[in-house]
Amino acid sequence: MKKAGSRSVLRSTAWLAFAGIAAKVIGAFYRVPLTNVLGAEGIGLYQTFFPVYALFLTLTGAAVPTVVARYVAYADALGADIPFTRAASKKITLVLALSGVAFTSLMAYPVAALQMRAGLWKGYLIVAPAVFAVTLAAYYKGYFIGKGRMTPNAFSQAAEQAVKLAVGLSTAYALAKYGVTAAVYGALFAVTASEFFGLLFMAACYRKDIGKEKFLCVRVDKRIYFDIVGTMFPIVAAALVLPVSGFLDSFLIVRLLIAGGTSAQEATASYGLYSGAVGTVVNLPVVIAVSLSVAVIPKVSSGVAKGEYEKVNRVTGTTLGACLAIAVPCFFALLVFAEDVIGLLYPGFSSDESIRAADILRWQSVNVVAASLVQLLSGILQALGSGRSAAIYLAASVAFKTALQVLLLPRIGIVAAPLSQLAMYALAAALSAVRYVELTGKNSELVKTGSKIALSGVIMSVCIQAVALTLTHRLARLAVGAATGSAVYFALLWATKAFGSEGIKAVFARGGKGEDNDRSRGVGMP
């Protein structure tokens, strides 16, 4: 691995996005046969574990990669090394990882009972070790993010999904003869196996880069611990909100559907369609926004360290434009071809399940844009040291979503879930955008770029709608629609010059290292 300087945001994003898309494609290949093995009810049971699992992961490891990346990138910008900060961060991460395993195990039965699935408490014991693996791996990922070197993280992400596919399908299929619950436990075991594989891979990459590191023997000033923990709190708070929202969904949606007159089995199946089948499709393009938010951290931290706020404005503006350029056509494509996408990916669904899933996907498609903006803006605000604001905006948005769910789910059914989620993301995106402008200043080029992207997307949607109405064969509609839509959309972006040359240059510009040493500057950041 080369010890080079900071990489460009787009180059770093390309690695992460490529790996993220590969991981999502593998995940889709995994979820499709897994859904067919488990059925709608089984995938609904499987999905009930993940909001809680994500919540526990957020409590223990959500802040680790961001904090470590910010310290590493900040120090690199000043030409410094931070061995004591690395040792302190790793010790804190280890404590968090061990605490996560214990907390997940202790909460297994109470949480399962709260979800009206007390008999499935053993599933949480199966994924508890994965909390340890993910949290500890987060430290190594943060180090490479801070260095602007995304290759190890990218390969790890794709490899984890490949292991999950191989182990999950084989164990779920082998245990399916013992019932749906046993098959679900087999799929959950694959989660733990894949995360430990990822941990070993990242640890090996880190050791190759740093060498053998006896971090437990390093004596660290208490002020460094306080500084790190203080930096973590607002980031954890911001990262915690969406998993809490998913946790609430995992038992609130089913209960509210039942309260509206839906049977327990149908309510569980509807939740499985919403969070599992449709959620997998919608999250595929959103992964690029996550890649952008991760890749932009070193660039923003470096700009803050040097006081180059105009450069931060240009880089983040171009990154937001790139996010929109990817999310907008995906929204229109899923809106137009919702029924075809569901039918192609989930042939095992009944006619009624396919119709319900397609309806959910149409409503959910706009969340591709909204969720992508929220993910990216939250990452930018955290990199700018405004994680507390991001947490407050997300918390208010989740409260708004929950209120809408309580009001609408018993009355209009499962379509209220994506509608409520859209309201949540729209509010969070609007509040975050206002704060972003306050911190970085207005960006007229971003407004022009967004307008051109929106116009190109609308024209593209008309073209692919014509394809959808003309062709009758599903695969032909999807293939011709994808080719036509891509050609029209990118031709329009090129013709309208949606991305100015200055914005692209700002993203691809390399940053140099300063000459100050962190022993004289300290490890704190603004």
Side-chain angles (χ1 to χ4, degrees):
M1 299 177 187
K2 298 179 181 179
K3 293 189 176 182
S6 60
R7 300 292 191 262
S8 72
V9 173
L10 293 184
R11 185 178 303 171
S12 300
T13 300
W15 272 110
L16 280 180
F18 176 77
I21 292 172
K24 288 292 181 181
V25 170
I26 295 171
F29 278 115
Y30 173 51
R31 286 294 181 92
V32 171
L34 183 65
T35 300
N36 293 324
V37 171
L38 300 180
E41 183 182 4
I43 199 66
L45 295 175
Y46 179 73
Q47 283 299 127
T48 59
F49 289 97
F50 282 94
V52 182
Y53 172 63
L55 178 60
F56 292 156
L57 287 181
T58 303
L59 285 169
T60 58
V64 173
T66 301
V67 169
V68 174
R70 285 176 61 186
Y71 278 115
V72 171
Y74 193 84
D76 274 2
L78 300 177
D81 188 21
I82 49 171
F84 294 103
T85 306
R86 286 201 308 269
S89 300
K90 204 168 185 180
K91 289 179 181 179
I92 292 172
T93 303
L94 182 60
V95 171
L96 289 171
L98 293 172
S99 301
V101 176
F103 185 68
T104 305
S105 302
L106 290 173
M107 294 298 294
Y109 186 82
V111 169
L114 187 63
Q115 292 178 313
M116 302 173 65
R117 292 288 182 269
L120 297 179
W121 66 276
K122 295 178 182 177
Y124 288 109
L125 297 183
I126 295 173
V127 297
V131 177
F132 173 86
V134 174
T135 303
L136 196 54
Y139 168 83
Y140 301 121
K141 292 180 179 180
Y143 169 80
F144 286 109
I145 291 169
K147 290 291 185 181
R149 292 156 47 198
M150 306 301 177
T151 308
N153 296 5
F155 277 112
S156 173
Q157 188 176 357
E160 287 168 19
Q161 288 295 326
V163 172
K164 187 189 297 183
L165 184 149
V167 176
L169 283 183
S170 58
T171 53
Y173 183 79
L175 295 174
K177 59 184 177 182
Y178 298 108
V180 173
T181 300
V184 170
Y185 286 165
L188 291 174
F189 171 74
V191 175
T192 297
S194 64
E195 299 299 356
F196 268 95
F197 178 86
L199 170 61
L200 294 175
F201 179 86
M202 292 304 303
C205 293
Y206 180 81
R207 180 164 182 172
K208 184 177 180 180
D209 200 68
I210 293 291
K212 193 172 182 179
E213 192 177 47
K214 297 181 179 180
F215 68 98
L216 292 175
C217 301
V218 178
R219 296 179 64 88
V220 180
D221 191 305
K222 291 181 180 179
R223 289 175 297 179
I224 297 179
Y225 288 114
F226 286 126
D227 186 49
I228 294 171
V229 173
T231 306
M232 281 183 170
F233 269 122
I235 297 174
V236 170
L240 194 61
V241 177
L242 291 181
V244 167
S245 174
F247 171 71
L248 292 173
D249 286 349
S250 70
F251 67 89
L252 193 61
I253 289 177
V254 173
R255 288 172 181 264
L256 290 172
L257 289 174
I258 293 174
T262 306
S263 67
Q265 183 177 4
E266 185 178 349
T268 301
S270 294
Y271 173 71
L273 294 174
Y274 163 70
S275 63
V278 175
T280 300
V281 177
V282 172
N283 287 335
L284 180 59
V286 176
V287 72
I288 299 181
V290 177
S291 301
L292 285 164
S293 66
V294 170
V296 81
I297 289 174
K299 208 74 172 177
V300 174
S301 297
S302 176
V304 170
K306 299 174 183 178
E308 299 174 343
Y309 287 96
E310 184 179 347
K311 180 180 178 181
V312 170
N313 177 276
R314 292 198 306 271
V315 170
T316 54
T318 304
T319 307
L320 283 164
C323 174
L324 285 172
I326 294 164
V328 167
C330 291
F331 152 58
F332 284 115
L334 292 178
L335 180 66
V336 173
F337 294 113
E339 189 173 343
D340 293 326
V341 170
I342 292 297
L344 180 67
L345 292 179
Y346 305 105
F349 282 174
S350 66
S351 176
D352 178 64
E353 289 171 344
S354 295
I355 293 173
R356 273 191 292 164
D359 287 339
I360 295 171
L361 181 55
R362 289 189 186 94
W363 289 107
Q364 188 83 323
S365 59
V366 70
N367 281 329
V368 171
V369 178
S372 296
L373 286 175
V374 169
Q375 294 279 5
L376 181 51
L377 284 169
S378 295
I380 291 173
L381 290 181
Q382 290 171 9
L384 289 169
S386 191
R388 182 179 300 176
S389 298
I392 293 172
Y393 302 152
L394 287 171
S397 302
V398 169
F400 182 48
K401 183 195 84 165
T402 304
L404 287 177
Q405 285 182 333
V406 173
L407 179 66
L408 298 177
L409 274 168
R411 292 171 173 79
I412 65 175
I414 191 62
V415 294
L419 284 175
S420 302
Q421 191 175 50
L422 171 60
M424 175 191 75
Y425 282 130
L427 179 59
L431 294 172
S432 299
V434 171
R435 180 59 177 160
Y436 163 75
V437 172
E438 290 177 354
L439 292 172
T440 65
K442 294 181 180 180
N443 192 325
S444 58
E445 286 300 318
L446 176 58
V447 175
K448 293 178 183 178
T449 297
S451 301
K452 293 174 182 178
I453 290 170
L455 177 62
S456 302
V458 170
I459 296 173
M460 182 204 79
S461 70
V462 174
C463 296
I464 61 176
Q465 182 64 57
V467 172
L469 294 174
T470 303
L471 301 177
T472 57
H473 192 274
R474 174 179 294 158
L475 286 176
R477 279 198 302 267
L478 288 173
V480 175
T484 302
S486 299
V488 170
Y489 180 71
F490 288 111
L492 287 169
L493 290 185
W494 179 267
T496 59
K497 298 180 180 179
F499 291 93
S501 59
E502 291 301 317
I504 297 297
K505 288 178 182 178
V507 173
F508 276 98
R510 293 177 181 268
K513 292 186 176 183
E515 298 178 354
D516 297 315
N517 189 286
D518 75 326
R519 291 182 180 177
S520 61
R521 288 294 191 103
V523 298
M525 293 181 293

Coordinates of all heavy atoms in Angstrom, one line a residue, residues 178-225:
Y178 N -36.0 -27.7 9.0 CA -36.4 -27.7 10.4 C -37.3 -26.5 10.8 O -37.7 -26.3 11.9 CB -35.1 -27.5 11.3 CG -34.1 -28.7 11.1 CD1 -32.9 -28.5 10.5 CD2 -34.4 -30.0 11.6 CE1 -32.0 -29.6 10.3 CE2 -33.5 -31.0 11.5 CZ -32.3 -30.8 10.8 OH -31.5 -31.8 10.6
G179 N -37.7 -25.8 9.8 CA -38.7 -24.7 10.0 C -38.1 -23.3 9.7 O -36.9 -23.2 9.5
V180 N -39.0 -22.3 9.6 CA -38.6 -21.0 9.2 C -37.6 -20.4 10.2 O -36.6 -19.7 9.9 CB -39.8 -20.1 9.1 CG1 -39.4 -18.6 8.8 CG2 -40.7 -20.6 7.9
T181 N -37.9 -20.6 11.5 CA -37.0 -20.0 12.6 C -35.6 -20.5 12.5 O -34.6 -19.7 12.6 CB -37.6 -20.4 14.0 OG1 -38.9 -19.9 14.1 CG2 -36.7 -19.8 15.1
A182 N -35.4 -21.8 12.2 CA -34.1 -22.4 12.1 C -33.4 -21.8 10.9 O -32.2 -21.5 10.9 CB -34.2 -23.9 12.0
A183 N -34.1 -21.6 9.8 CA -33.5 -21.0 8.6 C -33.1 -19.6 8.8 O -32.0 -19.1 8.4 CB -34.5 -21.1 7.4
V184 N -33.9 -18.8 9.6 CA -33.5 -17.5 9.9 C -32.3 -17.4 10.8 O -31.4 -16.6 10.6 CB -34.7 -16.8 10.7 CG1 -34.3 -15.4 11.2 CG2 -35.9 -16.6 9.7
Y185 N -32.2 -18.3 11.7 CA -31.0 -18.4 12.6 C -29.7 -18.7 11.7 O -28.6 -18.2 12.0 CB -31.1 -19.5 13.6 CG -32.0 -19.1 14.8 CD1 -32.5 -20.1 15.7 CD2 -32.4 -17.8 15.0 CE1 -33.4 -19.8 16.7 CE2 -33.3 -17.5 16.0 CZ -33.7 -18.4 16.9 OH -34.6 -18.1 17.9
G186 N -29.9 -19.5 10.7 CA -28.7 -19.8 9.8 C -28.3 -18.6 9.1 O -27.1 -18.4 8.9
A187 N -29.3 -17.8 8.6 CA -28.9 -16.6 7.9 C -28.2 -15.6 8.8 O -27.3 -14.8 8.4 CB -30.2 -16.0 7.3
L188 N -28.7 -15.5 10.1 CA -28.1 -14.6 11.1 C -26.6 -15.0 11.4 O -25.7 -14.2 11.6 CB -28.9 -14.6 12.3 CG -30.3 -13.9 12.2 CD1 -31.0 -14.1 13.5 CD2 -30.1 -12.4 11.9
F189 N -26.4 -16.3 11.4 CA -25.0 -16.8 11.7 C -24.1 -16.3 10.6 O -22.9 -16.0 10.8 CB -25.0 -18.3 11.7 CG -23.6 -18.9 11.7 CD1 -22.8 -18.9 12.9 CD2 -23.1 -19.5 10.6 CE1 -21.5 -19.4 12.9 CE2 -21.8 -20.0 10.6 CZ -21.0 -19.9 11.8
A190 N -24.6 -16.2 9.3 CA -23.7 -15.7 8.2 C -23.3 -14.3 8.5 O -22.2 -13.9 8.0 CB -24.5 -15.8 6.9
V191 N -24.1 -13.5 9.2 CA -23.8 -12.1 9.5 C -22.5 -12.1 10.3 O -21.6 -11.3 10.1 CB -24.9 -11.4 10.2 CG1 -24.5 -10.0 10.6 CG2 -26.2 -11.3 9.2
T192 N -22.5 -12.9 11.4 CA -21.4 -12.9 12.3 C -20.1 -13.4 11.6 O -19.0 -12.9 11.8 CB -21.7 -13.8 13.5 OG1 -22.8 -13.3 14.2 CG2 -20.5 -14.0 14.4
A193 N -20.3 -14.5 10.8 CA -19.1 -15.0 10.1 C -18.5 -14.0 9.1 O -17.3 -13.8 9.1 CB -19.6 -16.3 9.3
S194 N -19.4 -13.3 8.4 CA -18.8 -12.3 7.4 C -18.2 -11.1 8.1 O -17.1 -10.6 7.6 CB -20.0 -11.8 6.6 OG -20.9 -11.1 7.3
E195 N -18.7 -10.7 9.3 CA -18.1 -9.5 10.0 C -16.7 -9.9 10.6 O -15.8 -9.0 10.6 CB -19.0 -9.0 11.1 CG -20.4 -8.5 10.6 CD -20.3 -7.3 9.6 OE1 -19.2 -6.8 9.4 OE2 -21.3 -7.0 9.1
F196 N -16.6 -11.1 11.1 CA -15.3 -11.5 11.6 C -14.2 -11.6 10.4 O -13.1 -11.3 10.6 CB -15.4 -12.8 12.3 CG -15.6 -12.6 13.8 CD1 -16.9 -12.6 14.3 CD2 -14.5 -12.4 14.7 CE1 -17.1 -12.4 15.7 CE2 -14.7 -12.1 16.0 CZ -16.0 -12.2 16.5
F197 N -14.7 -12.1 9.3 CA -13.8 -12.1 8.1 C -13.3 -10.7 7.8 O -12.1 -10.4 7.5 CB -14.5 -12.7 6.9 CG -13.7 -12.7 5.7 CD1 -12.8 -13.8 5.4 CD2 -13.7 -11.7 4.7 CE1 -12.0 -13.8 4.3 CE2 -12.9 -11.7 3.6 CZ -12.1 -12.8 3.4
G198 N -14.3 -9.7 7.8 CA -13.9 -8.3 7.6 C -12.9 -7.8 8.6 O -12.0 -7.0 8.2
L199 N -13.1 -8.1 9.8 CA -12.2 -7.7 10.9 C -10.8 -8.2 10.7 O -9.8 -7.4 10.7 CB -12.7 -8.1 12.2 CG -11.8 -7.9 13.4 CD1 -11.4 -6.5 13.6 CD2 -12.4 -8.5 14.7
L200 N -10.7 -9.4 10.4 CA -9.3 -10.0 10.1 C -8.7 -9.4 8.9 O -7.5 -9.1 8.9 CB -9.5 -11.5 9.9 CG -9.9 -12.3 11.2 CD1 -10.1 -13.8 10.8 CD2 -8.9 -12.2 12.3
F201 N -9.4 -9.1 7.9 CA -8.9 -8.5 6.7 C -8.4 -7.1 7.0 O -7.2 -6.7 6.6 CB -9.9 -8.5 5.6 CG -9.5 -7.8 4.3 CD1 -8.8 -8.6 3.3 CD2 -9.7 -6.5 4.1 CE1 -8.4 -8.0 2.2 CE2 -9.3 -5.9 2.9 CZ -8.6 -6.6 1.9
M202 N -9.2 -6.3 7.7 CA -8.7 -4.9 8.0 C -7.6 -4.9 8.9 O -6.7 -4.0 8.8 CB -9.9 -4.1 8.6 CG -11.1 -3.9 7.6 SD -10.6 -3.0 6.1 CE -9.8 -1.5 6.8
A203 N -7.5 -5.8 9.9 CA -6.4 -5.9 10.9 C -5.1 -6.2 10.1 O -4.1 -5.6 10.4 CB -6.7 -6.9 11.9
A204 N -5.2 -7.1 9.1 CA -4.0 -7.4 8.4 C -3.5 -6.3 7.6 O -2.3 -6.0 7.5 CB -4.3 -8.6 7.5
C205 N -4.4 -5.5 6.9 CA -4.0 -4.3 6.2 C -3.4 -3.3 7.1 O -2.4 -2.6 6.7 CB -5.3 -3.7 5.4 SG -6.0 -4.8 4.1
Y206 N -4.0 -3.1 8.2 CA -3.5 -2.1 9.2 C -2.1 -2.4 9.6 O -1.2 -1.6 9.7 CB -4.4 -1.9 10.3 CG -4.0 -0.9 11.4 CD1 -4.3 0.4 11.2 CD2 -3.4 -1.3 12.6 CE1 -3.9 1.4 12.2 CE2 -3.0 -0.4 13.5 CZ -3.3 1.0 13.3 OH -2.9 1.9 14.3
R207 N -1.9 -3.7 10.0 CA -0.5 -4.1 10.5 C 0.5 -4.0 9.4 O 1.7 -3.7 9.6 CB -0.6 -5.6 11.0 CG 0.7 -6.1 11.5 CD 0.6 -7.3 12.3 NE 1.9 -7.7 12.8 CZ 2.1 -8.7 13.7 NH1 1.0 -9.4 14.2 NH2 3.3 -9.0 14.1
K208 N 0.1 -4.3 8.1 CA 1.1 -4.1 7.0 C 1.5 -2.6 6.9 O 2.6 -2.3 6.5 CB 0.4 -4.6 5.7 CG 1.3 -4.6 4.5 CD 0.7 -5.1 3.3 CE 1.6 -5.1 2.1 NZ 1.0 -5.7 0.9
D209 N 0.6 -1.7 7.2 CA 0.8 -0.3 7.0 C 1.6 0.3 8.2 O 2.5 1.1 8.1 CB -0.5 0.5 6.9 CG -0.3 1.8 6.2 OD1 0.1 1.8 5.0 OD2 -0.5 2.8 6.9
I210 N 1.2 -0.1 9.4 CA 1.8 0.5 10.7 C 2.9 -0.4 11.3 O 3.8 0.1 11.9 CB 0.6 0.7 11.7 CG1 -0.3 1.7 11.2 CG2 1.2 1.1 13.1 CD1 0.2 3.1 11.2
G211 N 2.7 -1.7 11.1 CA 3.6 -2.6 11.8 C 3.0 -3.1 13.1 O 1.8 -2.8 13.4
K212 N 3.7 -3.9 13.8 CA 3.2 -4.4 15.1 C 3.1 -3.3 16.1 O 4.0 -2.5 16.3 CB 4.1 -5.5 15.6 CG 3.5 -6.3 16.8 CD 4.4 -7.5 17.2 CE 3.8 -8.3 18.3 NZ 4.6 -9.4 18.7
E213 N 1.9 -3.1 16.7 CA 1.6 -2.0 17.5 C 1.0 -2.5 18.9 O -0.1 -3.0 19.0 CB 0.5 -1.1 16.8 CG 0.3 0.2 17.5 CD -0.7 1.0 16.7 OE1 -1.8 0.5 16.4 OE2 -0.4 2.2 16.4
K214 N 1.8 -2.3 19.9 CA 1.4 -2.7 21.3 C 0.7 -1.6 22.0 O 1.2 -0.9 22.9 CB 2.7 -3.2 22.1 CG 3.4 -4.4 21.5 CD 4.6 -4.8 22.4 CE 5.3 -6.0 21.8 NZ 6.5 -6.4 22.6
F215 N -0.5 -1.3 21.5 CA -1.2 -0.2 21.9 C -1.6 -0.3 23.4 O -1.8 0.8 24.1 CB -2.5 0.1 21.1 CG -3.5 -1.0 21.2 CD1 -4.6 -0.8 22.0 CD2 -3.5 -2.2 20.5 CE1 -5.6 -1.7 22.2 CE2 -4.4 -3.1 20.6 CZ -5.5 -2.9 21.5
L216 N -1.8 -1.5 23.9 CA -2.2 -1.6 25.3 C -1.1 -1.2 26.3 O -1.4 -0.8 27.4 CB -2.6 -3.1 25.6 CG -3.9 -3.5 24.9 CD1 -4.1 -5.0 25.2 CD2 -5.1 -2.7 25.4
C217 N 0.1 -1.2 25.8 CA 1.3 -0.8 26.7 C 1.6 0.7 26.6 O 2.5 1.1 27.4 CB 2.5 -1.6 26.3 SG 2.3 -3.4 26.4
V218 N 1.0 1.4 25.7 CA 1.3 2.8 25.6 C 0.5 3.6 26.7 O -0.7 3.5 26.8 CB 0.8 3.3 24.2 CG1 1.1 4.8 24.0 CG2 1.5 2.5 23.1
R219 N 1.3 4.4 27.4 CA 0.7 5.3 28.4 C 0.3 6.6 27.8 O 1.0 7.3 27.1 CB 1.8 5.6 29.5 CG 2.2 4.3 30.3 CD 3.3 4.7 31.3 NE 2.7 5.6 32.3 CZ 2.1 5.1 33.4 NH1 2.0 3.8 33.6 NH2 1.7 6.0 34.3
V220 N -1.0 6.9 28.0 CA -1.6 8.0 27.3 C -2.1 9.0 28.3 O -2.7 8.7 29.3 CB -2.8 7.5 26.4 CG1 -3.5 8.7 25.7 CG2 -2.3 6.5 25.4
D221 N -1.9 10.3 28.0 CA -2.4 11.4 28.9 C -3.9 11.3 28.9 O -4.6 11.2 27.9 CB -1.9 12.7 28.3 CG -2.2 13.9 29.2 OD1 -3.3 14.1 29.7 OD2 -1.2 14.6 29.6
K222 N -4.5 11.5 30.1 CA -6.0 11.4 30.2 C -6.7 12.5 29.4 O -7.8 12.3 29.0 CB -6.4 11.6 31.7 CG -5.9 10.5 32.6 CD -6.4 10.7 34.1 CE -6.0 9.6 34.9 NZ -6.4 9.8 36.4
R223 N -6.0 13.6 29.1 CA -6.7 14.6 28.3 C -7.0 14.2 26.9 O -8.0 14.6 26.3 CB -5.8 15.9 28.3 CG -5.7 16.6 29.6 CD -4.7 17.8 29.5 NE -3.3 17.3 29.2 CZ -2.2 18.0 29.1 NH1 -2.4 19.4 29.1 NH2 -1.0 17.5 28.9
I224 N -6.1 13.3 26.4 CA -6.4 12.7 25.1 C -7.7 11.9 25.1 O -8.5 12.0 24.2 CB -5.2 11.9 24.6 CG1 -4.0 12.8 24.4 CG2 -5.5 11.2 23.2 CD1 -2.7 12.1 24.0
Y225 N -7.8 11.1 26.1 CA -9.1 10.3 26.2 C -10.3 11.2 26.3 O -11.3 10.9 25.6 CB -9.0 9.4 27.5 CG -8.1 8.2 27.4 CD1 -7.0 8.2 28.3 CD2 -8.3 7.2 26.6 CE1 -6.1 7.1 28.2 CE2 -7.4 6.1 26.5 CZ -6.3 6.1 27.4 OH -5.4 5.0 27.3

